[in-house]
Coordinates of all heavy atoms in Angstrom, one line a residue:
R71 N 9.7 -27.4 6.9 CA 10.5 -26.2 7.5 C 9.7 -25.6 8.6 O 10.2 -25.3 9.7 CB 10.6 -25.2 6.3 CG 11.2 -23.9 6.6 CD 11.3 -23.0 5.4 NE 11.9 -21.8 5.7 CZ 12.3 -20.9 4.7 NH1 12.1 -21.2 3.5 NH2 12.7 -19.8 5.2
G147 N -3.2 -25.2 1.2 CA -3.6 -26.0 2.4 C -2.5 -26.1 3.4 O -2.7 -26.0 4.7
A248 N 10.0 -16.0 -14.1 CA 8.8 -16.9 -14.1 C 9.4 -18.3 -13.4 O 8.7 -18.9 -12.6 CB 8.4 -17.2 -15.4
F376 N -16.2 -7.1 -24.7 CA -15.0 -7.5 -24.6 C -14.9 -9.0 -24.5 O -15.9 -9.8 -24.2 CB -14.5 -7.1 -23.1 CG -14.3 -5.6 -22.8 CD1 -15.3 -4.8 -22.5 CD2 -13.1 -4.9 -23.3 CE1 -15.2 -3.4 -22.3 CE2 -12.9 -3.6 -23.1 CZ -14.0 -2.9 -22.6
K385 N -9.9 0.7 -10.2 CA -9.5 1.2 -8.9 C -10.7 1.3 -8.0 O -11.8 1.7 -8.5 CB -8.8 2.6 -9.1 CG -7.3 2.6 -9.6 CD -6.6 3.8 -9.5 CE -5.3 3.8 -10.2 NZ -4.4 4.9 -10.0
F391 N -7.0 6.3 -5.0 CA -6.5 5.7 -3.8 C -6.4 6.9 -2.7 O -5.4 6.9 -1.9 CB -5.1 5.2 -4.0 CG -5.0 4.2 -5.1 CD1 -3.9 4.2 -6.0 CD2 -5.7 3.1 -5.0 CE1 -3.8 3.2 -7.0 CE2 -5.6 2.0 -6.0 CZ -4.6 2.0 -7.0
H406 N -22.0 -6.9 -18.3 CA -21.7 -8.0 -19.2 C -20.2 -8.1 -19.5 O -19.8 -8.4 -20.5 CB -22.4 -8.0 -20.4 CG -23.9 -7.6 -20.3 ND1 -24.8 -8.7 -19.9 CD2 -24.6 -6.5 -20.4 CE1 -26.1 -8.2 -19.9 NE2 -25.9 -6.8 -20.1
H425 N 3.7 6.1 7.8 CA 2.5 6.2 8.7 C 2.0 4.8 8.8 O 1.9 4.2 7.7 CB 1.4 7.2 8.3 CG 1.9 8.7 8.3 ND1 1.1 9.7 8.9 CD2 3.0 9.2 7.7 CE1 1.8 10.8 8.7 NE2 3.0 10.5 8.1
E455 N -16.3 -10.9 -7.6 CA -16.2 -12.3 -7.6 C -16.9 -12.9 -8.8 O -17.0 -14.1 -9.0 CB -16.9 -12.9 -6.4 CG -16.0 -12.7 -5.1 CD -16.8 -13.2 -3.8 OE1 -18.0 -12.8 -3.8 OE2 -16.2 -13.8 -3.0
N476 N 4.4 -2.9 -4.8 CA 5.6 -2.1 -4.8 C 6.6 -2.5 -3.8 O 7.2 -1.7 -3.2 CB 5.4 -0.6 -4.9 CG 4.6 -0.2 -6.2 OD1 4.3 -1.1 -7.0 ND2 4.2 1.0 -6.2
G582 N -17.8 28.5 0.7 CA -18.0 27.0 1.2 C -16.9 26.2 0.4 O -16.1 26.7 -0.3
W657 N 3.2 1.7 22.3 CA 4.2 0.8 21.8 C 5.3 0.5 22.9 O 5.7 -0.6 23.1 CB 4.9 1.4 20.5 CG 5.9 0.4 19.9 CD1 7.3 0.7 19.8 CD2 5.6 -0.7 19.3 NE1 7.8 -0.4 19.2 CE2 6.8 -1.2 18.7 CE3 4.5 -1.5 19.0 CZ2 7.0 -2.5 18.1 CZ3 4.6 -2.7 18.2 CH2 5.8 -3.1 17.9
F676 N 6.9 5.3 14.6 CA 5.8 5.8 15.4 C 6.1 7.3 15.8 O 5.2 8.1 15.8 CB 5.4 5.0 16.5 CG 4.5 3.7 16.2 CD1 4.2 2.9 17.1 CD2 4.0 3.6 14.8 CE1 3.3 1.7 16.9 CE2 3.3 2.5 14.5 CZ 2.9 1.6 15.6
R709 N -3.3 28.9 18.2 CA -2.7 29.2 19.4 C -1.8 28.0 19.8 O -2.3 26.9 19.9 CB -3.8 29.4 20.4 CG -3.3 30.2 21.7 CD -4.5 30.2 22.7 NE -4.1 29.3 23.8 CZ -4.9 28.9 24.7 NH1 -6.2 29.3 24.7 NH2 -4.6 28.1 25.7
G723 N 23.1 34.0 12.7 CA 23.4 33.6 11.3 C 22.2 33.0 10.6 O 22.2 33.0 9.5
C743 N 20.2 28.2 7.5 CA 21.7 28.7 7.8 C 22.5 28.5 6.6 O 22.6 27.2 6.2 CB 22.1 27.8 9.0 SG 23.9 28.1 9.4
L780 N 21.1 20.8 20.9 CA 20.4 21.6 21.8 C 21.1 21.9 23.1 O 21.7 21.0 23.7 CB 19.0 20.9 22.1 CG 18.0 21.7 22.9 CD1 17.3 22.7 21.8 CD2 16.9 20.7 23.6
S786 N 25.3 21.3 26.5 CA 24.7 20.4 25.5 C 23.7 19.4 26.2 O 24.1 18.8 27.1 CB 25.7 19.6 24.7 OG 25.2 18.8 23.9
D794 N 17.1 11.5 8.4 CA 16.0 10.6 8.1 C 16.0 10.2 6.7 O 16.4 11.1 5.8 CB 14.7 11.3 8.4 CG 14.4 11.4 9.8 OD1 15.0 10.6 10.7 OD2 13.4 12.0 10.2
P798 N 9.8 9.5 2.5 CA 10.4 8.5 1.6 C 10.6 9.1 0.2 O 10.0 10.0 -0.2 CB 9.4 7.4 1.7 CG 8.1 8.1 1.9 CD 8.4 9.3 2.7
D852 N 5.2 14.5 -13.8 CA 5.7 14.4 -15.1 C 7.1 13.7 -15.1 O 8.1 14.5 -14.8 CB 5.8 15.9 -15.7 CG 6.4 15.8 -17.1 OD1 6.6 14.7 -17.6 OD2 6.5 16.9 -17.8
D868 N 11.8 25.1 11.9 CA 10.4 25.8 11.9 C 10.1 26.3 13.3 O 9.9 27.6 13.3 CB 9.5 24.6 11.5 CG 8.0 25.3 11.3 OD1 7.9 26.5 11.5 OD2 7.1 24.5 11.1
D882 N 2.1 17.4 22.0 CA 1.6 18.4 21.1 C 1.6 19.9 21.8 O 1.5 20.8 21.2 CB 0.1 18.2 20.8 CG -0.7 17.6 21.8 OD1 -0.2 17.7 23.1 OD2 -1.8 17.2 21.7

Side-chain angles (χ1 to χ4, degrees):
R71 175 180 182 172
F376 294 93
K385 286 191 184 183
F391 302 132
H406 311 283
H425 292 232
E455 283 175 321
N476 300 350
W657 184 249
F676 280 175
R709 199 187 104 195
C743 172
L780 190 75
S786 178
D794 279 352
D852 178 358
D868 185 359
D882 45 5

